[in-house]
Amino acid sequence: MDRTVLCIKWGTLYSADYVNVLFNAARANIAGSFRFVCLTDDPEGLSAQIEHFPIPDIGLDPHHWKGGGWPKLSMFVPDLYGVEGRVLFIDLDMVIWGALDSFFTWEKGMVMLDHGPWRHHDGVPRPMSSVFAFDAGAHADMLERFAANRDALMARYRLEQDFIAGEAGPLAFWPQEWIKSYKNHLRPPLIIDRFRGPYPPDPSVRILCFHGQPRPIDLVQPPAGNWDVFPHYGHGRVAWMAEYWQRFGGKI
């Protein structure tokens, strides 16, 4: 199989529902065959159709699993459970809103998300690892450098996405219209957010990016009161998000 959608789940922040919804949404939005692989420390609750494997050991200490996304680097081991060809990594808090086929063929090498235009106007790319593509096995040398000089590189880059952007070689970026941010593109302005909820993504959007708070589950299973981060305000269930979640197998 020369196309793989890959995700990673560790700890308790994201439930098995996140993986199952991502799998079902990917299956509905990719034409033809592909593998769906989840690297995880706890496969309980995952759909029987999902391939799941232990997260490869890349020499992280326990506290490295609690800050940043450093375990993501495990996907660059030379032979990742037989994964071959083009790999599309998708974070669990992404919402698949449209066709994904082009993500496997857009540019070559490492392709990342540039979130700079969302909040800045200086034209400087700001790579983000929420959705990225690479060729299986192509970056083993990057992982070797990390293993040989782990602490210094973690101190230098601070986040795993900065490390990938700085060490993977030439980067390409997804078209801005393919991926939109909940916070920056759909969240209502201050004050207005107390009177209406977020609009759904435009049909042209392929992936809706949730980064930080709130997370998709907050819009689906809202806690009492404000589920957004003050001074922003969100309350109650968001119908379009709940419909997506339920349609692709998530619990309401």
Side-chain angles (χ1 to χ4, degrees), residues 3 24 30 79 81 96 109 119 133 161 176 238-239 249 252:
R3 298 190 301 173
N24 288 319
I30 297 175
D79 182 13
Y81 302 111
I96 299 175
R119 290 172 289 186
Q161 63 189 18
Q176 283 291 308
V238 176
I252 297 293

mmCIF file of all heavy atoms in Angstrom, residues 3 24 30 79 81 96 109 119 133 161 176 238-239 249 252:
data_model
loop_
_atom_site.group_PDB
_atom_site.id
_atom_site.type_symbol
_atom_site.label_atom_id
_atom_site.label_comp_id
_atom_site.label_asym_id
_atom_site.label_seq_id
_atom_site.Cartn_x
_atom_site.Cartn_y
_atom_site.Cartn_z
ATOM 1 N N ARG A 3 -0.201 4.472 0.215
ATOM 2 C CA ARG A 3 -0.795 5.631 0.895
ATOM 3 C C ARG A 3 -1.207 5.220 2.306
ATOM 4 O O ARG A 3 -1.907 4.222 2.494
ATOM 5 C CB ARG A 3 -2.017 6.164 0.145
ATOM 6 C CG ARG A 3 -1.730 6.668 -1.259
ATOM 7 C CD ARG A 3 -2.944 7.396 -1.836
ATOM 8 N NE ARG A 3 -4.107 6.530 -1.887
ATOM 9 C CZ ARG A 3 -5.338 6.959 -2.231
ATOM 10 N NH1 ARG A 3 -5.545 8.229 -2.523
ATOM 11 N NH2 ARG A 3 -6.349 6.119 -2.264
ATOM 12 N N ASN A 24 -13.072 6.977 10.252
ATOM 13 C CA ASN A 24 -14.283 6.933 9.440
ATOM 14 C C ASN A 24 -14.382 8.131 8.494
ATOM 15 O O ASN A 24 -14.832 8.000 7.352
ATOM 16 C CB ASN A 24 -15.521 6.858 10.330
ATOM 17 C CG ASN A 24 -15.669 5.502 11.003
ATOM 18 O OD1 ASN A 24 -15.437 4.470 10.377
ATOM 19 N ND2 ASN A 24 -16.035 5.493 12.271
ATOM 20 N N ILE A 30 -11.412 9.648 1.097
ATOM 21 C CA ILE A 30 -10.280 9.211 0.291
ATOM 22 C C ILE A 30 -10.784 8.169 -0.698
ATOM 23 O O ILE A 30 -11.402 7.172 -0.310
ATOM 24 C CB ILE A 30 -9.159 8.611 1.158
ATOM 25 C CG1 ILE A 30 -8.594 9.664 2.113
ATOM 26 C CG2 ILE A 30 -8.044 8.051 0.287
ATOM 27 C CD1 ILE A 30 -7.559 9.119 3.092
ATOM 28 N N ASP A 79 11.779 1.628 9.705
ATOM 29 C CA ASP A 79 10.761 0.683 9.244
ATOM 30 C C ASP A 79 9.590 0.741 10.207
ATOM 31 O O ASP A 79 9.592 0.088 11.249
ATOM 32 C CB ASP A 79 11.328 -0.738 9.166
ATOM 33 C CG ASP A 79 10.296 -1.733 8.631
ATOM 34 O OD1 ASP A 79 9.264 -1.280 8.095
ATOM 35 O OD2 ASP A 79 10.522 -2.946 8.769
ATOM 36 N N TYR A 81 6.439 -0.440 10.957
ATOM 37 C CA TYR A 81 5.395 -1.445 10.806
ATOM 38 C C TYR A 81 4.991 -1.659 9.347
ATOM 39 O O TYR A 81 3.813 -1.833 9.024
ATOM 40 C CB TYR A 81 4.172 -1.071 11.657
ATOM 41 C CG TYR A 81 4.513 -0.915 13.119
ATOM 42 C CD1 TYR A 81 4.478 0.344 13.737
ATOM 43 C CD2 TYR A 81 4.911 -2.007 13.889
ATOM 44 C CE1 TYR A 81 4.818 0.500 15.076
ATOM 45 C CE2 TYR A 81 5.249 -1.859 15.228
ATOM 46 C CZ TYR A 81 5.198 -0.609 15.809
ATOM 47 O OH TYR A 81 5.534 -0.459 17.141
ATOM 48 N N ILE A 96 -12.004 16.377 9.445
ATOM 49 C CA ILE A 96 -11.905 16.169 7.997
ATOM 50 C C ILE A 96 -13.217 16.593 7.350
ATOM 51 O O ILE A 96 -14.257 15.970 7.552
ATOM 52 C CB ILE A 96 -11.580 14.704 7.672
ATOM 53 C CG1 ILE A 96 -10.232 14.316 8.289
ATOM 54 C CG2 ILE A 96 -11.556 14.480 6.164
ATOM 55 C CD1 ILE A 96 -9.875 12.852 8.128
ATOM 56 N N GLY A 109 8.471 15.440 -0.820
ATOM 57 C CA GLY A 109 9.213 15.647 0.413
ATOM 58 C C GLY A 109 8.294 15.970 1.577
ATOM 59 O O GLY A 109 7.158 15.508 1.648
ATOM 60 N N ARG A 119 -2.425 34.618 11.554
ATOM 61 C CA ARG A 119 -2.307 35.660 12.585
ATOM 62 C C ARG A 119 -1.244 36.706 12.285
ATOM 63 O O ARG A 119 -1.093 37.664 13.038
ATOM 64 C CB ARG A 119 -2.001 35.004 13.941
ATOM 65 C CG ARG A 119 -3.156 34.223 14.518
ATOM 66 C CD ARG A 119 -2.745 33.441 15.748
ATOM 67 N NE ARG A 119 -1.882 32.317 15.418
ATOM 68 C CZ ARG A 119 -1.482 31.401 16.299
ATOM 69 N NH1 ARG A 119 -1.838 31.510 17.561
ATOM 70 N NH2 ARG A 119 -0.707 30.406 15.930
ATOM 71 N N ALA A 133 2.793 15.718 5.465
ATOM 72 C CA ALA A 133 3.018 14.535 4.643
ATOM 73 C C ALA A 133 4.515 14.339 4.436
ATOM 74 O O ALA A 133 5.291 15.303 4.390
ATOM 75 C CB ALA A 133 2.304 14.663 3.300
ATOM 76 N N GLN A 161 7.376 20.381 16.252
ATOM 77 C CA GLN A 161 7.108 20.896 14.914
ATOM 78 C C GLN A 161 8.234 21.824 14.443
ATOM 79 O O GLN A 161 8.563 21.864 13.255
ATOM 80 C CB GLN A 161 5.764 21.603 14.856
ATOM 81 C CG GLN A 161 5.635 22.835 15.716
ATOM 82 C CD GLN A 161 4.199 23.340 15.754
ATOM 83 O OE1 GLN A 161 3.254 22.616 15.433
ATOM 84 N NE2 GLN A 161 4.012 24.586 16.133
ATOM 85 N N GLN A 176 -3.430 27.415 1.409
ATOM 86 C CA GLN A 176 -4.139 27.977 2.564
ATOM 87 C C GLN A 176 -5.628 27.670 2.544
ATOM 88 O O GLN A 176 -6.252 27.505 3.599
ATOM 89 C CB GLN A 176 -3.918 29.489 2.617
ATOM 90 C CG GLN A 176 -2.561 29.895 3.155
ATOM 91 C CD GLN A 176 -2.409 29.582 4.644
ATOM 92 O OE1 GLN A 176 -3.248 29.967 5.453
ATOM 93 N NE2 GLN A 176 -1.338 28.884 5.002
ATOM 94 N N VAL A 238 -22.706 22.619 19.436
ATOM 95 C CA VAL A 238 -22.666 23.199 18.100
ATOM 96 C C VAL A 238 -23.181 22.149 17.124
ATOM 97 O O VAL A 238 -22.570 21.091 16.945
ATOM 98 C CB VAL A 238 -21.232 23.635 17.732
ATOM 99 C CG1 VAL A 238 -21.177 24.147 16.297
ATOM 100 C CG2 VAL A 238 -20.748 24.702 18.708
ATOM 101 N N ALA A 239 -24.315 22.421 16.496
ATOM 102 C CA ALA A 239 -25.045 21.412 15.720
ATOM 103 C C ALA A 239 -24.203 20.799 14.609
ATOM 104 O O ALA A 239 -24.184 19.574 14.439
ATOM 105 C CB ALA A 239 -26.321 22.024 15.149
ATOM 106 N N GLY A 249 -19.233 8.122 13.731
ATOM 107 C CA GLY A 249 -19.117 7.090 14.762
ATOM 108 C C GLY A 249 -18.788 7.538 16.154
ATOM 109 O O GLY A 249 -18.571 6.704 17.036
ATOM 110 N N ILE A 252 -22.288 10.859 21.274
ATOM 111 C CA ILE A 252 -22.873 12.153 21.616
ATOM 112 C C ILE A 252 -23.318 12.123 23.076
ATOM 113 O O ILE A 252 -23.972 11.195 23.508
ATOM 114 C CB ILE A 252 -24.097 12.474 20.726
ATOM 115 C CG1 ILE A 252 -23.652 12.591 19.275
ATOM 116 C CG2 ILE A 252 -24.764 13.765 21.191
ATOM 117 C CD1 ILE A 252 -22.757 13.762 18.972
#
